[in-house]
Amino acid sequence: MFDRLSSLVIALTLIAIAAIFAALAGGDPLAIAMMAVAGFVAAATVYGAMPAVTADNRPAEIAPAETLPLSFLRHPDFARWVDQEKEPLLGVADNIVAIANDAAIRLLGRHIVGADIRTAIRHPVATEWLSQIDGDAPLDTINLVDYPRPGQRWTMRIAALSNGERIVFLSDRSAIDAADRMRSDFVANASHELRTPLAAILGYVETLQDMNGEADGPTRHRFLSIIEREARRMQQLVIDLLSISRVEADRFRRPTAKVDLAAVVRHTISQLQDSETARAKDIVAKFGDEPLPMLGDEAQLGQLAHNIISNAMKYGRPGTPVTVELLREGQRARLSVRDEGEGIAPDHLPRLTERFYRVDEARSRSVGGTGLGLAIVKHISERHQGQLDIESEQGKGTRVSVTFPLAADA
Ligand code: ADP
């Protein structure tokens, strides 16, 4: 349309026309003045309506704000936030993926940008949900079961914005589900472990009651021995269950007391040697008097040493040595226990520290094992920043070792 210069020309022309009309009207000074004012008002109106001219002679851009749709997804802060998010996040406009962060691209592939969100997240529940929700739907969470692979679970949340834009958040719940499964498996396993000896105890007590005092001495003695053995098995299981829950509760509390690892191991060995354990005499301690100070929980370190040494006694061949060594390795101390037993096949090694995992269940039960010893060892080791290693050669024997950081001034 007109620029400001032309509006000025128009204004002057209007004044001139007004003056001519005034002259034609008889040269009345009032009429001339009124015509001039009207000309000025007209010129000012036209002038005011003209866009301002910029230095390079182009009209400055004045965005008519109410006509441009507000885009949250195109805001630079949004792109920055999306990139910082660790979990998959998608910005969707009219069901088309407009923006996807790195985690989303890793999960769904680069091709999803520009694709329909329903084909990008290939899950029937997600597709149905995305087809149903309207623009004002509140933030909601849905479960994507067996996604992206069987046995895994993700959740999807959608924040609906204006103009058909949405933010889709995806979150991996598989690890949380696995932890929940482990917890319920643990309760089921513990109950099963307790039920077995309890059933034996009740069975023998009922038999003795049925015999109404008629059982001969040796029979009664045999039954009572079984009852005692099963009751002790239950007692050990309860002790181990309490230990594991205590150790787990302390998991994030770093020990602050200074203890001498050498003294702790020496004390554990003498306790085992003084006990009635069949192989007490087979323990060979190969370490000197040098103290090995570290930050630790004395009772827990004693339990760790006890569990490793008693395993070597249980699973080593009778009459062969159970060698306990303590070494200083730079700023760490190593406790290592070696036995001469049947050893462990390599595929079992990674699972030995799982609760209730046993290579040979009958063997473990016959030597009074609960299946919790190495799980307790692992937790105690982790709490003390220890590194647990189990090496084994079938037919030759096993070596279990743990290294711990020594105290800073040791
Ligand atoms: P358990 O109470 O059954 O001994 P642990 O948690 O202490 O439970 O050990 C788990 C399993 O690891 C044992 O059942 C046994 O099969 C195996 N194991 C542990 N230590 C040894 C070892 N020194 N030699 C051979 N097998 C071992």
Side-chain angles (χ1 to χ4, degrees), residues 50-64:
M50 291 296 106
V53 176
T54 54
D56 58 358
N57 218 25
R58 278 189 291 112
E61 275 179 35
I62 298 171

Side-chain angles (χ1 to χ4, degrees), residues 307-308 311-312 314-316 339 343-344 352 354 357-360 364 368-375 398 400:
N307 288 5
I308 300 175
N311 270 356
K314 286 189 300 194
Y315 300 107
D339 67 62
I344 307 159
L352 294 181
E354 285 175 24
Y357 188 86
R358 291 136 156 154
V359 176
D360 179 342
S364 160
T370 61
L372 291 173
L374 286 179
T398 303
V400 179

Side-chain angles (χ1 to χ4, degrees), residues 202-223:
L202 286 173
Y204 282 101
V205 167
E206 276 169 20
T207 313
L208 281 173
Q209 282 172 334
D210 288 349
M211 292 170 111
N212 221 358
E214 284 162 21
D216 56 28
T219 308
R220 213 174 38 245
H221 184 259
R222 193 164 58 85
F223 286 3

Side-chain angles (χ1 to χ4, degrees), residues 41-107:
V41 170
T45 310
V46 173
Y47 184 84
M50 291 296 106
V53 176
T54 54
D56 58 358
N57 218 25
R58 278 189 291 112
E61 275 179 35
I62 298 171
E66 66 283 4
T67 58
L68 242 187
L70 273 172
S71 171
F72 189 73
L73 302 185
R74 276 195 289 262
H75 195 285
D77 284 349
F78 178 72
R80 264 197 298 278
W81 171 60
V82 162
D83 280 341
Q84 283 164 13
E85 269 300 306
K86 297 277 174 286
E87 297 235 83
L89 208 149
L90 304 157
V92 179
D94 295 325
N95 278 334
I96 301 298
V97 178
I99 187 164
N101 70 355
D102 288 347
I105 285 174
R106 269 198 305 278
L107 177 70

